[in-house]
Amino acid sequence: MATINDNYLKLKAGYLFPEIARRVSAFAADHPEAPIIKLGIGDVTEPLPAACREAIIAATQEMGDRATFKGYGPEQGYLWLRDKIAQHDFQSRGCDIDASEIFISDGSKCDCGNILDIFGNDNKIAVTDPVYPVYVDTNVMAGHTGEAKDGKYEGLVYLPISADNDFTAEIPSEKVDLIYLCFPNNPTGATATKQHLKAWVDYAKQHGSLILYDAAYEAYITDPDLPHSIYEIEGAKDCAIEFRSFSKNAGFTGTRCAFTVVPQSLMGKASDGSDVKLWQLWNRRQATKFNGVSYIVQRGAEAVYSAAGQSQIKDLISFYLENAKIIREQLTAAGIDVYGGTNAPYVWVKTPSGLSSWDFFDKLLFNCNVVGTPGSGFGAAGEGYFRISAFNSRENVNEAMKRIIENKA
Ligand code: PLP
């Protein structure tokens, strides 16, 4: 019999979203008439922008004609898309990022996990607590941790984020090699100022650390003073990889397109002590294990950068941000403390009356038929908090808030 990767057995059995699904289906089975509204998951609800759909249809037509048919594309993505990203998302903000440093992929979730392929097994790894669970679980799978104890894996450095530190991770006192940062943050909806990111870049440069910067929600930043990319900070090209996605700005969660920026100047240490370009390793990894995103989807993503695409994604983001505003205002009026939700699609709620995250989940489900996400599912320091997502129809958001207020949840 083939042996297995035992590290998978360390993964916590009651993983957050399956447990939510289990509780919701048990409730729905007992109350089949209950009009459940789900404000739990981070999936978008509004359809693909017209500009993207039109580009996808035109590309599909091209695939039906021998003269314009495309087979395998470049594993790194088509240059016309990488060029547009480099110009629009980085160079226009003063970031010195070149198209060659952009790798198109089918999702930042995959990239956040796959990136571990190019790193050694002896790095000290830091994550925030609470955290997007993919960073932790992929490290568990790769054997970079010990067992889980009290909601934390041995071997990982956890950086707590809470109202006490304004939901921004404090710089660790010890030296770590890899640090995952996510701004705007999932789950807390917090953002990072340039000063905060500069402190991280300074720390990374001083200790030879690498920052894995997840900017999947960058498009939700409306405050002109907040940085959209870590490369807006001087020196970040020497110490950071950035993950971006078309999922949350253009509704590509089901269409799948994202990209990762690996600057040519980034170096890692080989076991013989020599310095090696991380770009070279990631390029090799992608060329070997990935065969590119479909031509049709890349054309759809390219349309995000057209004038029509830009205006349509702006409308989409404003729509979700207005939902977040309604959630914030209504919950505040109900006497509940809320955070985030101004430059992010997530509102992070302090559970009222000292309820645990799961007790508040059950209360909302049973009394209001509203589903959210218990903060404790994102890490031990998320206990006592609750995430409400703004990804839903206006009607559902209004109805959910009305029920919460009427039931004095
Ligand atoms: N990064 C963060 C912080 C996320 O919250 C998500 C999805 O919810 C992703 C990455 C995944 O993005 P993608 O759809 O591109 O895989």
Side-chain angles (χ1 to χ4, degrees):
M1 198 182 284
T3 60
I4 58 150
N5 177 350
D6 272 350
N7 295 311
Y8 278 63
L9 305 179
K10 293 180 203 158
L11 294 166
K12 281 175 245 162
Y15 178 63
L16 180 62
F17 291 103
E19 176 59 15
I20 292 175
R22 192 190 65 73
R23 292 193 190 206
V24 174
S25 19
F27 175 79
D30 291 344
H31 307 86
E33 73 303 336
I36 296 174
I37 298 177
K38 293 185 179 168
L39 296 179
I41 43 173
D43 198 358
V44 296
T45 52
E46 302 309 298
L48 274 187
C52 302
R53 291 196 316 266
E54 284 155 19
I56 286 170
I57 291 166
T60 308
Q61 293 301 345
E62 284 183 64
M63 294 297 265
D65 183 335
R66 173 176 286 275
T68 47
F69 170 78
K70 305 272 184 302
Y72 292 125
E75 293 95 351
Q76 301 80 355
Y78 284 100
L79 202 52
W80 35 260
L81 177 57
R82 302 167 81 196
D83 263 333
K84 292 223 166 61
I85 292 170
Q87 282 162 27
H88 183 279
D89 288 333
F90 297 100
Q91 292 160 11
S92 73
R93 293 190 173 277
C95 310
D96 179 23
I97 295 293
D98 179 74
S100 70
E101 299 172 312
I102 289 163
F103 293 82
I104 310 295
S105 77
D106 58 350
S108 21
K109 181 178 183 176
C110 331
D111 285 354
C112 287
N114 292 336
I115 200 76
L116 293 179
D117 271 13
I118 67 168
F119 294 109
N121 290 327
D122 44 5
N123 288 308
K124 190 158 228 179
I125 297 165
V127 292
T128 62
D129 180 9
V131 68
Y132 176 51
V134 172
Y135 314 145
V136 172
D137 288 1
T138 51
N139 274 292
V140 175
M141 290 171 175
H144 296 166
T145 73
E147 298 292 336
K149 265 199 202 131
D150 304 326
K152 292 180 179 182
Y153 284 97
E154 286 167 348
L156 288 184
V157 175
Y158 287 88
L159 310 170
I161 50 178
S162 70
D164 295 339
N165 56 21
D166 225 4
F167 296 98
T168 51
E170 271 164 41
I171 312 286
S173 44
E174 61 195 302
K175 174 185 178 305
V176 297
D177 304 301
L178 285 177
I179 307 138
Y180 290 85
L181 293 180
C182 172
F183 291 113
N185 188 258
N186 177 14
T188 65
T191 48
T193 59
K194 280 194 178 145
Q195 294 87 309
H196 185 65
L197 287 191
K198 182 176 179 317
W200 273 111
V201 168
D202 290 348
Y203 168 89
K205 292 195 75 168
Q206 185 190 341
H207 293 93
S209 327
L210 187 87
I211 299 171
L212 297 169
Y213 191 74
D214 187 341
Y217 298 96
E218 155 281 329
Y220 289 81
I221 295 174
T222 49
D223 181 337
D225 292 333
L226 293 175
H228 288 241
S229 164
I230 193 154
Y231 304 117
E232 289 178 51
I233 312 303
E234 210 188 313
K237 271 190 76 172
D238 301 326
C239 63
I241 286 176
E242 183 165 306
F243 303 99
R244 292 272 191 109
S245 175
F246 293 100
S247 283
K248 309 299 164 84
N249 64 344
F252 272 55
T253 52
T255 309
R256 312 303 302 144
C257 198
F259 58 93
T260 290
V261 188
V262 184
Q264 302 261 10
S265 46
L266 278 181
M267 305 303 280
K269 195 63 82 201
S271 54
D272 66 3
S274 60
D275 290 351
V276 178
K277 271 173 87 165
L278 294 181
W279 182 94
Q280 180 190 319
L281 301 187
W282 184 244
N283 191 51
R284 187 72 168 83
R285 192 261 169 218
Q286 291 298 82
T288 303
K289 294 198 183 180
F290 186 57
N291 244 341
V293 175
S294 81
Y295 172 73
I296 296 168
V297 167
Q298 290 192 62
R299 281 292 185 205
E302 184 195 24
V304 163
Y305 298 101
S306 66
Q310 285 292 293
S311 125
Q312 290 158 13
I313 66 161
K314 200 162 161 253
D315 289 348
L316 265 182
I317 292 155
S318 306
F319 173 79
Y320 293 126
L321 282 175
E322 181 62 24
N323 280 351
K325 185 167 176 249
I326 293 169
I327 296 167
R328 280 180 60 91
E329 285 175 359
Q330 297 290 309
L331 294 183
T332 305
I336 296 175
D337 288 336
V338 296
Y339 305 93
T342 45
N343 293 283
Y346 298 120
V347 179
W348 190 240
V349 172
K350 182 89 197 88
T351 57
S353 323
L355 287 177
S356 75
S357 299
W358 277 110
D359 285 348
F360 188 59
F361 174 90
D362 288 335
K363 190 174 176 196
L364 275 193
L365 177 61
F366 281 77
N367 296 356
C368 311
N369 304 157
V370 171
V371 179
T373 316
S376 55
F378 295 102
E383 180 55 88
Y385 289 95
F386 198 76
R387 190 190 76 175
I388 298 194
S389 157
F391 292 125
N392 218 307
S393 66
R394 182 63 43 79
E395 194 189 352
N396 277 350
V397 166
N398 282 332
E399 174 60 23
M401 293 306 117
K402 186 166 148 253
R403 289 187 206 162
I404 291 176
I405 288 188
E406 279 171 7
N407 283 280
K408 299 195 171 44

